[in-house]
């Protein structure tokens, strides 16, 4: 599959080459570059539940490996599909080249469905609305351009406006086996009113029933009817022709609802902003803001079982993730697999350490609705013992271990969980060696439930001491916490103090800290400065675009008569959270639920010979604990987002929609 990696080089480079574990070059390309920081795309072959090491090197010219990808403003193509795009930005054709099959009976379009439910607008859709044809389409003037062109992936971007919203759609094809799906990545600045937005696929296959994944099984449903016209699914739903010879699967990333208006049309619901009546007026602008939505289309021979639609959607939902590591001796080699299963009919739903023993919990599920016999689960090592457990990890039966592997039978769709014990590994992880740094606490920032008025991290607020123990262990690093008892000091206000570090072979300093507000802090090892952004101890660590109102809405309002005057830009703080609490203490109100408390963990390299550290001269920063470690296990960094990334997200301009004579009139405005 394709890998995306953001990599920094010592200097600006014109191109890269990427080499696999076998030393052979793989298809790669630069997706973007800013000075010496580049985004690299390359193809990787991975073992199950494991890793493979790839080497990215500067190059004088772009990779010239031929993979059969082609792209223009009118079409994109790989070895599996040819996708055609008209001047209006609609996809008019998707040809399955291997099976000589056209997937579309008409253009794939984004449809506006009028939504004016009689009651409970956020929850209800009415048959009177759903039985009507689309009100409109995304059909504004199309700006079409090629945005990716290389041997790993090609993409065309289409930008349009309609019904007071802005749509930027990227259509992508990957080289190699990952090219079996057509991907659509929609970035939508949504400010439409009284509409649901649906991605509508009119297909050449037809059947009165479609199959929908429910996570722990599947269900067949018929076309829309007055009692069933918006249905749930988990990650995919499929329409296979009546003769069972060919089918098309819609792959879902984060959307869970769809409908089927006739025998050959599937529609994935993307957004929903209903009309309102005399209450819940705030719901007239729900979903306003920017959305990034990923989905795909997959054509296959036979039904969804033969086509293994489960695994195509898993690729979409669980993309390969890249980490940058230092060149070093690799005791596990360049390719390593932690776990594998002998059949694609059985999935591993979870692997975790047992709660109360040194066993490992492995949870399996049969995917295709058929019995599976003698399923073999192999781990990276020898299984010495195993038994079956329930959802609470209680023993409920024996298990078969043959030649150091777990062997079991699975019934259709059934989940089964096992506790397995491993023999001593031949290669062991070296845990970090750590030493606590003693701190001279100078402030009390915690209070007990029995005395809310004790202490303050900022005016009238404290952290709940009842929820903090004497130790926090974060990613294997232990920290000693101050006492939360009444009138005990338990944090350090930073005023430029110098703190001595323990002597020894330590390469990393870890700090637990929070601030009264997000603030810049400068730490010093002698003449070396380390700049960190210390995050606030309370508030949200992430939020999507959020509406700004012209008045404060109370918690128990039902009418909610207010106007949207702006849209606050979404954000996600990416600092490591070492401790989290569901509430905070207020000196008068006591527990304030859903007003969260946080302590963050920060790490710094200790320069050679450094004997102390000077804290920032910033009283907004509070230090809770420090630990020095000799730790080689975190000498690795993610070079692809592990979760949503809103870095560089631009503010959204409000485009107020005014209602006049039953029509929506778009007017210009600024937030």
């Amino acid at each position: 599959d394709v890998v995306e990696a953001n990599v920094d080089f010592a200097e600006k480079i014109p191109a890269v080459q990427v080499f696999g574990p076998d030393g052979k070059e793989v298809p790669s390309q630069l997706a973007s570059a800013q000075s010496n920081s580049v985004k690299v795309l390359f193809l990787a072959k991975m073992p199950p539940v494991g890793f493979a090491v790839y080497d990215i090197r500067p190059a004088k010219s772009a990779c010239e490996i031929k993979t059969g990808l082609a792209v223009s403003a009118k079409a994109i193509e790989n070895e599996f599909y040819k996708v055609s795009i008209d001047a209006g930005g609609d996809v008019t054709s998707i040809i399955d080249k291997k099976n000589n099959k056209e997937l579309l009976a008409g253009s794939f379009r984004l449809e506006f469905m009028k939504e004016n439910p009689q009651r409970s607008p956020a929850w209800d859709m009415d048959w009177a609305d759903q039985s009507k044809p689309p009100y409109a389409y995304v059909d504004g003037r199309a700006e079409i351009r090629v945005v990716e062109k290389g041997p790993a992936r090609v993409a065309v971007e289409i930008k349009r406006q309609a019904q007071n919203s802005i749509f930027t759609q990227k259509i992508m094809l990957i080289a190699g086996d990952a090219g079996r799906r057509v991907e659509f990545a929609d970035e939508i600045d949504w400010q439409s009113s009284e509409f649901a937005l649906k991605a509508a696929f009119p297909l050449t296959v037809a059947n009165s029933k479609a199959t929908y994944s429910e996570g722990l099984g599947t269900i067949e449903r018929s076309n829309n009817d007055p009692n069933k016209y918006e249905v749930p699914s988990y990650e995919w739903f499929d329409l296979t022709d009546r003769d069972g010879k060919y089918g098309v699967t819609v792959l879902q990333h984060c959307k869970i609802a769809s409908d089927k208006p006739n025998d050959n049309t599937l529609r994935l619901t993307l957004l929903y902003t209903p009309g309102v009546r005399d209450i819940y007026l705030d719901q007239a602008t729900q979903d306003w803001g920017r959305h990034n939505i990923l989905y795909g289309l997959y054509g296959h021979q036979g039904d969804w079982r033969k086509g293994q639609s489960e695994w195509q959607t898993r690729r979409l939902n669980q993309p390969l993730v890249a980490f940058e590591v230092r060149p070093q001796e690799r005791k596990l080699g360049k390719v390593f697999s932690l776990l594998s299963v002998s059949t694609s009919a059985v999935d591993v739903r979870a692997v975790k350490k047992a709660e109360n023993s040194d066993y490992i919990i492995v949870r399996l599920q049969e995917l295709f609705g058929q019995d599976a016999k003698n399923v073999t689960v192999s781990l990276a090592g020898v299984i010495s013992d195993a038994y079956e457990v329930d959802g609470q990890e209680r023993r409920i039966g024996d298990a078969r271990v043959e030649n150091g592997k777990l062997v079991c039978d699975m019934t259709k769709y059934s989940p089964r969980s096992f506790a397995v014990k491993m023999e001593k590994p031949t290669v062991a992880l070296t845990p970090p060696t750590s030493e606590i740094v003693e701190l001279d606490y100078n402030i009390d920032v915690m209070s007990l439930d029995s005395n809310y008025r004790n202490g303050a991290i900022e005016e009238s607020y404290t952290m709940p001491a009842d929820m903090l123990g004497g130790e926090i262990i974060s990613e294997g690093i232990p920290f000693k916490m101050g006492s939360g008892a009444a009138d005990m000091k338990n944090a350090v206000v930073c005023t430029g103090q110098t703190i001595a570090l323990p002597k020894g072979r330590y390469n990393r300093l870890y700090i637990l800290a929070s601030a009264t507000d997000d603030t810049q802090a400068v730490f010093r090892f002698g003449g070396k400065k380390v700049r960190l952004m210390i995050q606030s101890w309370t508030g949200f660590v992430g939020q999507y675009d959020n509406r700004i109102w012209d008045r404060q809405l109370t918690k128990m309002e039902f009418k909610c008569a207010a106007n949207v005057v702006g849209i606050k830009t979404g954000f996600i703080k990416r600092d490591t959270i070492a401790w989290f609490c569901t509430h905070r203490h207020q000196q008068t109100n006591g527990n304030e639920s859903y007003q969260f408390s946080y302590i963050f963990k920060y790490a710094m390299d200790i320069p050679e010979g450094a004997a102390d550290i000077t804290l920032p001269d910033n009283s907004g920063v509070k230090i809770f604990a420090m630990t020095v470690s000799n730790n080689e296990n975190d000498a690795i960094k993610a070079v692809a987002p592990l979760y949503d990334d809103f870095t560089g997200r631009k503010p959204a301009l409000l485009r107020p929609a005014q209602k006049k004579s039953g029509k929506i009139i778009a007017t210009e405005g600024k937030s």
Side-chain angles (χ1 to χ4, degrees), residues 136-151:
Y137 300 92
V138 175
D139 56 4
R141 183 177 65 86
E143 299 176 18
I144 306 174
R145 65 189 185 105
V146 174
V147 291
E148 291 181 358
K149 185 178 183 179

Side-chain angles (χ1 to χ4, degrees), residues 2-24:
V2 70
V3 177
E4 300 185 11
N6 298 294
V7 184
D8 294 332
F9 286 90
E11 57 186 7
K12 189 175 181 180
I13 61 170
V16 295
Q17 287 180 296
V18 180
F19 296 86
D22 58 0
K24 296 180 181 179

Side-chain angles (χ1 to χ4, degrees), residues 76-103:
I76 60 174
E77 188 171 358
N78 67 3
E79 64 176 294
F80 296 102
Y81 298 106
K82 181 177 181 180
V83 180
S84 299
I85 305 162
D86 67 15
D90 293 327
V91 175
T92 58
S93 171
I94 301 177
I95 297 175
D96 179 342
K97 294 163 61 176
K98 298 289 186 182
N99 294 295
N100 193 27
K101 179 75 173 179
E102 170 65 65
L103 272 61

Side-chain angles (χ1 to χ4, degrees), residues 155-194:
V156 170
E157 181 186 89
I158 302 156
K159 189 171 183 178
R160 296 176 285 188
Q161 296 191 38
Q163 304 298 324
N164 204 37
S165 293
I166 301 171
F167 303 83
T168 304
Q169 184 174 73
K170 190 160 73 169
I171 305 171
M172 296 173 286
L173 285 176
I174 304 168
D177 192 61
R180 295 179 184 272
R181 65 187 186 266
V182 183
E183 291 188 10
F184 302 90
D186 292 355
E187 182 180 318
I188 303 172
D189 183 347
W190 178 257
Q191 293 179 39
S192 299
S193 297
E194 301 184 3

Side-chain angles (χ1 to χ4, degrees), residues 40 61 355:
V40 182
S61 58
E355 293 295 314

